Structures are given as structure tokens and as C-alpha cells.
Amino acid sequence: MAAVAALPPKAAPFDPETVRADFPILERRVHDRPLVYLDNAATTQKPRAVLDAEDRFYRRHNANVHRAIHTLGNEATVAYEQAREAVGRHLGAADGRGVVFLRNATEALNLVAWAWARRRLRPGDEILLTPMEHHSNLVPWQMVARETGARLRFIPVGPDGALEMDALDRDGLLGPRTRVVAFAHCSNVLGTITPAEELCRRARAVGAVSVVDAAQSVPHAPVDVGRLGCDFLAFSGHKTYGPMGVGVLWGRPERLEAMEPLFGGGEMILKVELESATWNEVPWKFEAGTPNVAGAVGLAAACAYVRDLGQDRIAAHEAALTRLALDGLGDCPGVTIHGPGPGSPRGALVAWSADGVHPHDLAQYLDQEGIAIRAGHHCAQPLMRQLGVVATARASFGLYNTAAEVEALVGAVRRAREFFHA
Amino acid sequence: MAAVAALPPKAAPFDPETVRADFPILERRVHDRPLVYLDNAATTQKPRAVLDAEDRFYRRHNANVHRAIHTLGNEATVAYEQAREAVGRHLGAADGRGVVFLRNATEALNLVAWAWARRRLRPGDEILLTPMEHHSNLVPWQMVARETGARLRFIPVGPDGALEMDALDRDGLLGPRTRVVAFAHCSNVLGTITPAEELCRRARAVGAVSVVDAAQSVPHAPVDVGRLGCDFLAFSGHKTYGPMGVGVLWGRPERLEAMEPLFGGGEMILKVELESATWNEVPWKFEAGTPNVAGAVGLAAACAYVRDLGQDRIAAHEAALTRLALDGLGDCPGVTIHGPGPGSPRGALVAWSADGVHPHDLAQYLDQEGIAIRAGHHCAQPLMRQLGVVATARASFGLYNTAAEVEALVGAVRRAREFFHA
Amino acid sequence: MPETPDAALEELYREVILDHYKHPRNRGRLDGPGAEAVELQNPTCGDEIRLSVRVQDDRLADLRFEGRGCSISMASASLMTEACRGLTRDEAVALCAGFKAMLAGAGEPERLGDLAALSGVAQFPVRVKCATLGWNALLRALGGGAAAGDGGAMDA
Amino acid sequence: MPETPDAALEELYREVILDHYKHPRNRGRLDGPGAEAVELQNPTCGDEIRLSVRVQDDRLADLRFEGRGCSISMASASLMTEACRGLTRDEAVALCAGFKAMLAGAGEPERLGDLAALSGVAQFPVRVKCATLGWNALLRALGGGAAAGDGGAMDA
Ligand SMILES: Cc1ncc(COP(=O)(O)O)c(C=O)c1O
Ligand SMILES: Cc1ncc(COP(=O)(O)O)c(C=O)c1O
């Protein structure tokens, strides 16, 4: 996924105005101004197709899955397993076998850390990460490293936001001790697109498993697990136009087979005695308890929605917005943009610092104009420290954002500077 | 909660016909017959109030929580934290501090097993359970026992479905080695109501923590964590008229304070360095990643819904249905009812075996008449073995069920016997 | 879809099935040389089967089963033991494929003899696992395919 | 609610606040006998404060702070150091309670002197944590109350 790099869309260019009506919340006004929602990296808004899919499930088919003979139970099971297939195919897999439905990307990453790594890592083993990971792809590895005696290593991030891939060999970061290579496909702060295929290949070459945090890539461009060559990939439904409360761990079926379940309970067992139990097949053995069936159905509807619009066209549209924001904000006095400069691949988000205006204050100011951006550490405190800031402001784009909204953002950022006498 | 035992409802008796219109799915027809949904112990149907609460959240306020300064983020945070307060109060707590939002009861029980017990148990320590636990309150303890060397012990269940409380002392089941006492408040197969207050008190007396699996009690009667005196209590939103994908662990705040988080990630941290992290306060430190905000809002709406109808009135109504089913099924030739006999406290469900008609075949037959019951091991295989069956049929009631539906069930069970020449 | 509930049910529960359920053929176990036993369970419902097969000169010389389950799973196992006796391994595997195709609503039931009695199961997807329990045990006994459910085990 | 966006903002960002933000009073650290330092962070946004307090004869003889954060958190800390200097422990705790009451939309801001400049924060619930960061550090330094966020620590 090189969101900005290669963009000759096959079909007609994408017109966001035509899709805005699909998102009921976009009619909302905030402080008497139209809502300009630029916090899509935190969570996206939901199209009617997703809300309706969940609603229809509850109004027509709601039942628990897998164990029922009655009609609703059967319909719910079929809907749930079809959602799994749909998500699997959305990730380029042949079917849904590798798709484990969980709560969010965080739970998916923790499952790999706890169920795969904790049982396998030994003192001296290494987990290779990057310093720009979201806490959700950092803290679980810290916890597991502490339990197992494994060591965390980090691929440095250069001033341009790119991973210093030379360091892999130069500093001996990747080698026979490496057991896990885990990294964000797209940084949620810098927007950096990491060389995921290369990292997965290099992980494989040393016998390490690769774990791709795709929370910020799946929403914006086609992601193909086969092409990436990863062992595990995690993303959240709510960041990709789907409902909250559903996330996905995709795992290469052989890996999932070899992995022990983390949670015990209903659905994940085959045979239970008082003192022992045997496990169900993959992927069900990782889904203890009643799943979020409506959530999975909603997520499948979200996948269908973006596919119908055309993922490449959406990516091109978002890339154009990102370029506009980079240019516009870059021209604002006192603004420093973090991450890759123009021309480098970049996800659909821009984070910046503004001299004399703390990001909170800026976000507060923008909110009064109806513009929602995020200010804070973006769950990436170590990266903030490297950038030498406690917080940044971040605008992140979705398929329904428009060039006019980006212009509104840029104008408001300029006015904020005046307001705060910066 | 003695669902059947004590029932003088203060207000007018409850008329289910008046509430059926609140549940859109009840208009559904199955095999050209009106749906008779008697699988409420697996999952309940959702009233419009719950569907609308979720929908309204997505159409008006959807945003990620806790970290946003913008208006939607603030509204979402307030909605989420208000839902926490509402759920806390629904459980009789003063506030929401002890409420951890998770995926389902299974995840809640696993959290206690993994985050509390795994870090504290030593070889020789004991975990006291019952043989009628749902797999979700059995398998996690098996897993943790295996890791820690702790031993599982079981309070026997007598032929009447009651726990043999004498055995606690007689067989030395409860003593200084007991570290955890975990049990279902209401059995999902037998309907047995366990002496939860007494078990919690006895657990406390020996310094053990008590864990109440309230998946089948919270939906049917007021449950008060203070009165119970428990340390932890788990239930699922989807079984109590709320959405799927949200469950609750309530923990006594001191216990939660002392408990390490299980999952690492966003939301649950205070300060993160590359190699280390400190945790946020209780309960947030257990909620890694983006929570199911809409789900929590929906669950709060479900709590409000049953409170408005009157939990005591609902309990009385369901008790009457249960009595009707016990009488009607008890009169069917060849039917053996499992669990407490008439007069003993019992949850709103009845499981039975019918000579010569396998529960699957019975469920299939009933489905053709539009009647949804459950057939199987109900995620309680060890109990099935004690009952000497592989599966049973189970009808379980919700507030919208009617006496006529119970009569339809009984009539169909009789006809099934003829159909299968039993 | 058959029109009335009863028609659908009659389709599912043909007389042959109820007969094999009430009077299962080839119940029991096999010991001695060449006998292979496999136990399998359907995790969704708890149905269990223990299938013994004796292969001689590449042929299924004898099959016996024990188990507990619904009419569909037990009748299917009983019918299977009859249908497979005397077949070569390859023939048995092929028959199994044909049988599964029928349950998926495809294939040619009329070529399956008595097994065609189970064709009504195709209308009831949840019951397909019941009908295939015995067959998956057979595949396992013949050393073949990924039969349902043995992801791993844990003994506490 | 103030009517126009700008009115609401002016209410939140009174001149006093912007002034204390640009020109914080009592920046720095205290050493020596009786000096107590506390570090605190707002997990939601990363704002940090390091507050030093010297108590002499039960009075807050001196307060200094360092930190990084938004105008609200830094101005609030700066205003606090001025308002608390010379108070007894009990008076400081009481002032803190009065200040928090104001942020909850209650209390009597007019009795809080310059601190009343922060009353506009009550309209912006997410910012309350910003305004209380310094005060929670003070409470902690005085050995009191459950200040925000130290559930535990982990060092990998
Ligand atoms: C007694 C009991 N405990 C736990 C559970 C598990 O609930 P869930 O599947 O929602 O996690 C159930 C429901 O199946 C139950 O009946
Ligand atoms: C790169 C990245 N990884 C992981 C996450 C965690 O996602 P969630 O909070 O949905 O678990 C996020 C979102 O905040 C993210 O941006």
C-alpha cells in the first residue's frame, strides 16, 4: 500500500460529495457550524450500509451462533461465518480460515504476544519493533519481554520518518535471535508507510514471525496478506467504517494451528472434562464466548462498502487531500510538519506542531469552528519523545472528506495563531 | 435472587403483551409460523430502546473516547462513562468505578483467571468450582491451574441440582488452601440458584476471592454486588437485552487496584517509554484499546429498560412461565426434567430429556413449528456426563414470553414424540 | 423447500433414517490385527462416535461403530457401515466425497443407494455436521483428510 | 453557553490565562530541607508537571513548578503557585476543593480571586483534567488524596 505513491485510478475520480449522504453523522452541526470530521485515524464514521446491516441482524436474525438448530441460530451462524469469509477475502486470503474476530486491533496484537510469543520466547530471544509503534503494538511486547526474558530492539526512525532499514544489518538488529518482527504498516502519527513486504521477507529469512499492525492501512488501501507475506495482521473494525467492538487478527493458518488459545470458555472447546479440555479447530479456538456477531456482520458490510466505491479511487482521493493539507499547513507560519516530506509515500494523515500554540489549545480552537482534529500523544509517547514534543496536532482523512474541509482546517490553524498571540 | 421463591410483586402484574411491540424481531415468522423464541439463555432479543441507543450514538456522537478535545470526542466520552455509572448502579454499586467493559462474560472470567489468579496461585493452592459451571467458568481455571500448579476442587451437585454445601466442611473443600471460589449464580442447564451470599462469605472467611458468574442471573432479577459480598462478578450484555460485543467484569475496587492488567495498549497506560510503561487508574487499566462505546451505551439502555419495567415484576412473570413449563413438560410422557423440583428456587429455564427423541431431533421438530429452543451440551459437558446424557433440550424464558408460548412448546413436545414413534 | 413444516420434516426424517436410528446396523467394536479405531466428537452438540475398521488387502473388511447422538448422526453412521463394507480404501474415500457433495446440495444422490435417504439434510445446514460425523471418523481411520476438530489438547 | 464560538473561546482563554501561559510564575525546582517534589502526568494527553513544595511550620513557604502542557494546565499551575504560597496545609487543601468545585460548575468562583479566570473550563469537561493537573500534584505533595494515575508500574 503506497497510498500516495502510485495513483493512476482506473475508474473516474472519486467525488466525496456523492458519498457524504451515506454518513448520517455528517449532517451534524457542531457549535453551529457544519461538522468537519478530521479524526479518522482515531475512529471513522459509519455509513448507513453498516448501521443498517447491524440493525437488520438484530431485527431479523439475532441469535447465538454455532450451537443452535433453530432457524434464527442457523441464520446467525451463516451470517457470522459469511462475514468471516468476506473479511478474509477483503485481506486477499482465499477464505476466512485465518480470520479471528476479536474486540479491536489491540486485542489482536495482545493475542499474538500472549498466545504465541509468551509460550515460545526464551531469555536472549529478541523482539524487533520500531519506536513509532502505537502503544498497542509496544506495551504487549514489553509485558511479554518481561515475562520471558526476551529483549526488545528497535529499528531507528530517521528525521524524515522513514525506518532506517540499513540498521537491520549494520547494528545487528535482525538475526538468529530475532523471534518476532512487529511493526505498523502505517504510522498513526507520522503517516510513514513502512516497507512491510521487505520486513516480512527478512523476518521469514531469519525464522521470525512477522506481525503487521494494519490498523492504519486497511482503512485506506487494499491490503493483501499474501502479497505482504506476513504471519499475523491486526486491524480494528471501527477505524475502517465498521462498528466498534470488533477487530480482526488474521493469522496464517499454520501459525494459528500451532498457537495455543489464550482464553478458555464456550465455543473454543471440543471436549471438556472437569480437569481438562481439548480445543476446537482454527479459528474458533481463539474465539471464547459469544462473539460480536452483529459487529462482524457490520464489518463485512463496511468492507463491501469500500470495495464498491473502489479502494484505489478512495486512496487516490485521500492522497490528494493529504497533499493539500501538507501544502496548506506547511505554508502556515510557525508550523512544523512531522513525518515524510512531499513525494514520499504517506498515509492519509498529517501531524504537526505549531510554535506557541499547544495542540490542545489548537484543537479546542478548531472545535469551536466545527473542526474535529486530534491533539495529544496519539498513543505513541516514545515517538513524541523522539520528536521532542509532548503532543502534536493531527488531522486524518476519510473517504468523505473534501478539499473544502482541508481548506477550512488550514484557515483555522492560521486564525488560531492570531488568537493565541503566537 | 431467588427468582421463583419469593414473589409478591408490588406493582400490577406484568403483561408481556404490552412489551412485545418493543422487540421488532418478535414480528418475525419462522417456517410460516410466528416466532416463539425460547432460547433466551443463549442470547436475548433486543428492544427498540437498545437498538435506538446504539444507532443514535453512531448517527450523532460517534468518536473515540478519552483522548479527544473535540465535541464528538467529548460527547462519546461522557456517554461511555455514563454507561459505566449506569451499569455500576444497576449492580447496586455506588458508582461505575468497579465496572470494566469487555467483550462478554467469558472474557471477564478469563481476565480474573489470567490477571488475578495466574499471578498469585502457587502449587497446592486450590480453586473451588462446581461441576455445573459453564465452560467459560471452568476452562480458564483449568488453564490457570495447569500454569500455576494449583488444584481444582468441585462442590458436588446433588440429584436435585443443588450444591451439597455440607461437603465444604465434610470433604475439606474449603480451607486455608482455597484461593478462589468461582461459581454460577444460576446454572444455565439446571436452573439451580446457588447460595451465592453464603459462598462469598465463606470464601472471604478463608481469605479466598469470590467470583460470581452472573451471566444467567443479571438478566432475570436485581443483583446487588454489595449484598452478594463478592469480589468479582461477570455478565454478558447480549444475554440481558443489550448488544453483542459488550460484557462486564465488576470488581471490588481494592481488588482491581491490586490486579495487574492483562492486555497492554492504548487507553490503559499512564506513561510509556520504549522499554517500560506505567498503568492508568482503575478501571481503565483493564480496557486496552478502543472500547465498544456504542455497545456500552446500548447496555446501559438495556439496564434502564428492565428497570423501567420493574425487575421484580419481570422476575415474577418469568417465574410463572417457568412453573407452567415445569408442569406442562413434567406431564409429557417420557420426559425427565433436570434440576430443582417444584418449590425450589430456579432460574427462568427448564432443561429436559425425552425418551427416544434426541434433543437435536426435538429442536429440529420444534423449529418447524416456529419454536426456538436449544439442544446440546449447553457448554456444560461435565454436567452432562453427571446427568448421564450427551445433550438435553432447554427452553429459557425472557420478559416477552407468554403463557401461550409455553403451551405451544408443551404441545409440540408431545407431538414430536409421536412423530419419532418414541 | 417443501411446503408445510411436516413435509420438510418428512423429507429430513425419512423412514430409512428413523429405522437405522432405532435399529442401528453394525454396532460394536473390532479388535485384532488390522483393526483401527477412531473416536470423534461433534463439538457443537456433544455427539460422539467410536468407529472401528478392519482393512484387509486394501479393502474395508469390516466396520463397527458405537456412539451417542441424534437420529441423523447415528443413522448416517449405520448406513455408512453398510455402504462401505467391502469397498477398497479409494472407493470408500470417493463414496465419502459423493456423500458430502450430496449434503452440499450437489452430486448425484441417486447413485448413492440407501444413503440418498440423507439428502434432505442439505436443507438443514446445521445438521450437516451430524450427518458427517461417522464419515469424518472413517476418513481419519483411513489415515486421510483433516477430519473435524482436533486442534490440540490440554490436560490440567 | 456563550453565543458565538469566539465568545466561548474568550471565556475559556481569558487574558489572565494566556498571560500566565506565556509568562509562568514560580517556575523551577526547590531543594533543601522540607522540600518535596512530585511528578505527575495526564495520561490522556501527555501533559507533565513537576511540582516542588517547601513546607515550613505547616505553611507552604514556597512552590515551584516545571512542566510541559497546554495553556490551561500551565496557567492553572502558575496561578496555583501564587494562590497557595503562605497558606497552611489545610487552607491549601480547602482551596483545592473550592477550585475543583468551580470546575464542576459549582462553588463560588468569586471567592477564588485570580483563579476564577479558569471558571470557563467548566464548560469544557475534557479540559478539566488539564486544569487540575497541578492541583493533583499539590495534593500528592501534601500527602493527601488519590491523585490521578498511578495504578502501578511495569519495567520490562
Ligand atoms: C452461566 C454462563 N456463564 C457464562 C456464559 C458465557 O457467556 P458469553 O458467551 O456471553 O461469554 C454463559 C452463556 O453461554 C452462561 O450461561
Ligand atoms: C497504528 C495503530 N495501531 C493500533 C491501534 C489500536 O487500535 P484499537 O484502539 O482499535 O485497538 C491504533 C489506533 O488507535 C493505531 O493507530
Side-chain angles (χ1 to χ4, degrees):
Chain A
M1 85 141 244
V4 170
L7 304 168
K10 291 193 196 85
F14 178 80
D15 177 4
E17 293 300 345
T18 61
V19 299
R20 290 180 65 86
D22 296 342
F23 292 81
I25 205 170
L26 297 182
E27 288 157 29
R28 169 89 199 250
R29 293 179 72 83
V30 166
H31 298 300
D32 233 12
R33 312 279 187 100
L35 168 65
V36 175
Y37 186 76
L38 302 178
D39 194 15
N40 293 285
T43 200
T44 52
Q45 300 304 337
K46 322 302 171 202
R48 215 167 253 125
V50 168
L51 301 181
D52 288 351
E54 274 208 272
D55 206 53
R56 203 178 318 119
F57 174 79
Y58 282 130
R59 281 168 198 260
R60 298 280 303 160
H61 310 294
N62 176 60
N64 211 323
V65 290
H66 292 317
R67 286 164 301 176
I69 282 171
H70 55 71
T71 298
L72 296 188
N74 192 34
E75 289 170 358
T77 304
V78 169
Y80 184 59
E81 295 304 328
Q82 281 179 350
R84 194 192 303 281
E85 291 290 313
V87 169
R89 284 195 307 271
H90 191 66
L91 297 175
D95 55 34
R97 248 190 98 209
V99 173
V100 183
F101 283 121
L102 299 160
R103 185 168 55 234
N104 50 28
T106 300
E107 194 168 18
L109 294 162
N110 274 276
L111 179 57
V112 182
W114 288 102
W116 174 271
R118 181 171 78 93
R119 294 187 175 271
R120 285 174 176 73
L121 267 50
R122 300 279 165 267
D125 285 348
E126 294 181 356
I127 300 167
L128 184 58
L129 307 170
T130 89
M132 65 184 167
E133 293 315 306
H134 189 279
H135 295 160
S136 295
N137 198 28
L138 171 60
V139 180
W141 302 112
Q142 292 178 347
M143 294 167 114
V144 162
R146 186 172 65 149
E147 284 221 7
T148 59
R151 178 179 170 209
L152 301 182
R153 305 203 67 183
F154 295 91
I155 311 173
V157 172
D160 58 347
L163 290 181
E164 295 185 352
M165 295 292 285
D166 305 352
L168 290 184
D169 293 324
R170 188 189 62 213
D171 302 342
L173 291 176
L174 185 80
R177 296 218 196 85
T178 313
R179 302 295 307 279
V180 175
V181 179
F183 57 93
H185 198 182
C186 171
S187 156
N188 67 314
V189 180
L190 300 178
T192 309
I193 308 289
T194 54
E197 286 181 42
E198 182 180 348
L199 283 166
C200 293
R201 192 173 58 243
R202 302 231 20 201
R204 203 164 43 247
V206 296
V209 304
S210 51
V211 183
V212 179
D213 173 359
Q216 298 295 350
S217 58
V218 165
H220 299 288
V223 167
D224 184 314
V225 289
R227 185 111 45 91
L228 284 178
C230 56
D231 290 299
F232 295 104
L233 179 139
F235 73 96
S236 283
H238 71 95
K239 288 186 201 281
T240 185
Y241 309 103
M244 290 175 152
V246 61
V248 169
L249 176 68
W250 180 87
R252 194 173 286 288
E254 317 82 270
R255 294 294 193 188
L256 291 180
E257 299 280 3
M259 187 161 105
E260 284 284 290
L262 178 59
F263 286 160
E267 303 284 343
M268 56 70 71
I269 55 85
L270 179 60
K271 183 163 186 167
V272 178
E273 316 256 357
L274 276 182
E275 310 274 347
S276 65
T278 54
W279 312 140
N280 198 345
E281 292 170 77
V282 163
W284 300 281
K285 79 175 172 190
F286 301 107
E287 295 181 356
T290 304
N292 186 352
V293 182
V297 166
L299 175 55
C303 294
Y305 181 79
V306 296
R307 293 176 85 80
D308 285 353
L309 289 181
Q311 288 179 281
D312 288 329
R313 290 167 71 220
I314 295 171
H317 166 63
E318 292 178 349
L321 294 180
T322 305
R323 229 180 286 117
L324 205 59
L326 286 172
D327 291 347
L329 292 169
D331 283 347
C332 292
V335 163
T336 309
I337 288 174
H338 305 292
S344 305
R346 201 184 227 285
L349 60 88
V350 180
W352 71 93
S353 302
D355 276 355
V357 184
H358 188 281
H360 280 189
D361 295 320
L362 178 61
Q364 189 86 62
Y365 183 91
L366 295 183
D367 184 58
Q368 292 293 323
E369 302 207 359
I371 303 171
I373 65 157
R374 182 136 300 226
H377 53 58
H378 315 296
C379 293
Q381 291 181 3
L383 179 63
M384 293 293 117
R385 243 164 262 129
Q386 172 169 342
L387 296 175
V389 297
V390 275
T392 74
R394 181 188 71 190
S396 52
F397 308 108
L399 59 89
Y400 37 66
N401 289 127
T402 65
E405 289 181 320
V406 175
E407 280 153 22
L409 167 72
V410 173
V413 168
R414 287 178 179 271
R415 283 190 294 281
R417 191 174 156 83
E418 287 154 33
F419 181 85
F420 289 104
H421 319 301
Chain B
M1 89 141 238
V4 169
L7 305 166
K10 288 191 199 89
F14 178 81
D15 177 6
E17 293 300 344
T18 61
V19 299
R20 291 179 65 86
D22 296 342
F23 292 82
I25 205 172
L26 298 181
E27 288 158 27
R28 168 92 200 249
R29 293 178 72 83
V30 166
H31 297 302
D32 230 13
R33 312 279 187 101
L35 168 64
V36 175
Y37 186 76
L38 301 178
D39 194 15
N40 292 285
T43 200
T44 52
Q45 300 304 336
K46 321 303 173 203
R48 216 167 251 126
V50 168
L51 301 182
D52 288 352
E54 276 208 271
D55 206 52
R56 204 178 319 121
F57 174 80
Y58 283 129
R59 280 168 198 259
R60 297 281 304 160
H61 310 293
N62 177 58
N64 211 323
V65 290
H66 294 316
R67 286 164 300 177
I69 281 171
H70 54 72
T71 297
L72 296 187
N74 192 34
E75 290 171 355
T77 304
V78 169
Y80 184 58
E81 295 304 329
Q82 280 179 350
R84 194 192 301 282
E85 291 291 311
V87 169
R89 284 195 306 273
H90 191 67
L91 297 175
D95 55 34
R97 248 190 98 209
V99 174
V100 183
F101 283 121
L102 299 160
R103 185 169 57 232
N104 50 28
T106 301
E107 193 168 20
L109 294 163
N110 274 276
L111 179 57
V112 182
W114 288 102
W116 174 271
R118 180 170 78 93
R119 294 186 175 272
R120 283 172 178 75
L121 267 49
R122 300 281 166 267
D125 286 347
E126 295 181 357
I127 300 168
L128 184 59
L129 306 170
T130 89
M132 65 185 168
E133 294 314 306
H134 189 279
H135 295 158
S136 294
N137 198 28
L138 171 60
V139 180
W141 302 112
Q142 292 178 345
M143 293 167 113
V144 162
R146 187 172 65 151
E147 284 222 4
T148 60
R151 179 180 169 207
L152 301 182
R153 304 202 66 183
F154 296 91
I155 311 174
V157 172
D160 58 348
L163 289 181
E164 295 185 352
M165 295 292 283
D166 305 351
L168 290 184
D169 294 322
R170 188 188 62 214
D171 301 343
L173 289 176
L174 185 79
R177 295 218 197 85
T178 314
R179 302 295 308 277
V180 175
V181 179
F183 57 93
H185 197 182
C186 172
S187 155
N188 68 314
V189 181
L190 300 178
T192 309
I193 307 291
T194 54
E197 287 181 42
E198 182 180 348
L199 283 167
C200 292
R201 193 173 57 242
R202 301 232 22 202
R204 201 163 47 247
V206 297
V209 304
S210 51
V211 184
V212 179
D213 173 359
Q216 297 297 349
S217 57
V218 165
H220 299 288
V223 168
D224 184 313
V225 288
R227 185 109 46 90
L228 283 179
C230 56
D231 291 298
F232 296 104
L233 180 139
F235 73 95
S236 282
H238 71 94
K239 289 188 201 280
T240 186
Y241 309 105
M244 289 174 154
V246 62
V248 169
L249 176 67
W250 180 88
R252 194 173 288 288
E254 318 82 271
R255 295 296 192 187
L256 292 180
E257 299 282 2
M259 188 161 106
E260 286 283 291
L262 178 60
F263 286 161
E267 304 284 344
M268 58 68 71
I269 54 84
L270 180 60
K271 184 163 185 166
V272 178
E273 317 257 359
L274 276 181
E275 310 273 348
S276 65
T278 54
W279 313 140
N280 199 345
E281 292 170 77
V282 162
W284 300 280
K285 80 174 172 190
F286 300 107
E287 295 182 356
T290 304
N292 184 351
V293 182
V297 166
L299 176 54
C303 294
Y305 181 79
V306 296
R307 294 175 84 79
D308 285 352
L309 289 181
Q311 288 180 280
D312 288 329
R313 291 166 72 218
I314 295 171
H317 166 64
E318 291 178 351
L321 295 180
T322 306
R323 229 180 288 118
L324 206 60
L326 286 172
D327 291 347
L329 293 169
D331 283 348
C332 292
V335 163
T336 308
I337 290 175
H338 304 293
S344 305
R346 200 183 227 286
L349 60 87
V350 180
W352 72 92
S353 300
D355 276 356
V357 185
H358 187 282
H360 279 188
D361 294 320
L362 179 60
Q364 190 86 62
Y365 183 90
L366 295 183
D367 184 58
Q368 292 293 324
E369 302 207 359
I371 303 170
I373 65 159
R374 183 135 301 226
H377 53 57
H378 316 295
C379 293
Q381 291 181 2
L383 179 64
M384 293 293 118
R385 245 165 261 129
Q386 173 170 340
L387 297 175
V389 296
V390 275
T392 74
R394 181 187 72 190
S396 53
F397 308 108
L399 58 89
Y400 36 66
N401 289 127
T402 65
E405 289 180 321
V406 175
E407 280 153 22
L409 166 72
V410 173
V413 169
R414 285 179 180 273
R415 282 190 293 282
R417 192 175 155 82
E418 287 155 32
F419 182 87
F420 290 104
H421 319 302
Chain C
M1 275 272 174
E3 273 164 19
T4 70
D6 278 353
L9 275 186
E10 306 279 356
E11 178 73 17
L12 178 63
Y13 295 113
R14 304 221 185 127
E15 275 305 322
V16 181
I17 292 173
L18 294 180
D19 176 46
H20 274 259
Y21 178 45
K22 301 265 164 213
H23 310 289
R25 322 297 198 261
N26 301 310
R27 272 198 94 89
R29 299 180 175 223
L30 296 171
D31 307 300
E36 181 89 51
V38 161
E39 280 183 46
L40 212 59
Q41 197 176 34
N42 179 346
T44 49
C45 61
D47 283 4
E48 304 169 332
I49 193 169
R50 183 180 196 284
L51 177 72
S52 313
V53 183
R54 197 173 62 244
V55 180
Q56 241 164 7
D57 303 333
D58 199 51
R59 280 191 189 274
L60 280 59
D62 202 357
L63 301 90
R64 296 290 163 95
F65 81 103
E66 290 173 337
R68 298 202 293 176
C70 64
S71 59
I72 305 296
S73 68
M74 293 298 112
S76 179
S78 173
L79 283 158
M80 176 189 79
T81 56
E82 293 211 311
C84 289
R85 165 160 307 124
L87 299 190
T88 65
R89 280 169 186 274
D90 287 351
E91 285 165 351
V93 169
L95 183 61
C96 178
F99 179 73
K100 289 188 173 186
M102 175 183 79
L103 297 183
E108 299 166 87
E110 55 288 356
R111 298 184 54 185
L112 294 175
D114 274 0
L115 293 174
L118 284 156
S119 62
V121 175
Q123 309 267 354
F124 298 89
V126 235
R127 304 304 295 277
V128 169
K129 279 216 163 186
C130 306
T132 51
L133 182 65
W135 295 85
N136 283 331
L138 178 63
L139 286 182
R140 179 91 57 96
L142 298 180
D150 53 1
M154 194 225 25
D155 298 286
Chain D
M1 274 271 174
E3 273 165 16
T4 69
D6 278 353
L9 275 187
E10 306 280 355
E11 179 71 17
L12 178 63
Y13 294 111
R14 305 224 184 123
E15 274 307 323
V16 181
I17 293 173
L18 294 181
D19 176 46
H20 275 260
Y21 178 45
K22 300 265 162 210
H23 311 289
R25 324 297 198 261
N26 302 309
R27 272 199 95 90
R29 302 183 175 220
L30 296 172
D31 306 303
E36 181 89 50
V38 161
E39 282 185 42
L40 212 59
Q41 199 177 32
N42 179 347
T44 48
C45 59
D47 282 6
E48 303 171 332
I49 193 168
R50 184 181 196 283
L51 178 72
S52 312
V53 183
R54 198 173 61 244
V55 180
Q56 241 164 4
D57 303 332
D58 199 49
R59 279 190 191 275
L60 280 60
D62 202 358
L63 300 90
R64 297 288 164 93
F65 82 103
E66 290 174 336
R68 300 202 290 178
C70 63
S71 59
I72 304 294
S73 68
M74 294 297 112
S76 180
S78 173
L79 282 158
M80 176 189 77
T81 57
E82 294 211 309
C84 289
R85 168 164 301 125
L87 300 189
T88 65
R89 281 170 186 274
D90 287 351
E91 287 166 350
V93 169
L95 183 62
C96 178
F99 179 73
K100 288 189 173 184
M102 176 184 79
L103 298 183
E108 300 165 87
E110 54 290 356
R111 299 185 55 183
L112 294 175
D114 273 2
L115 294 173
L118 285 156
S119 62
V121 176
Q123 309 266 356
F124 298 90
V126 234
R127 304 304 294 277
V128 169
K129 279 215 166 189
C130 307
T132 51
L133 182 65
W135 294 84
N136 283 331
L138 178 63
L139 285 182
R140 178 92 55 98
L142 298 180
D150 51 3
M154 195 222 30
D155 299 286

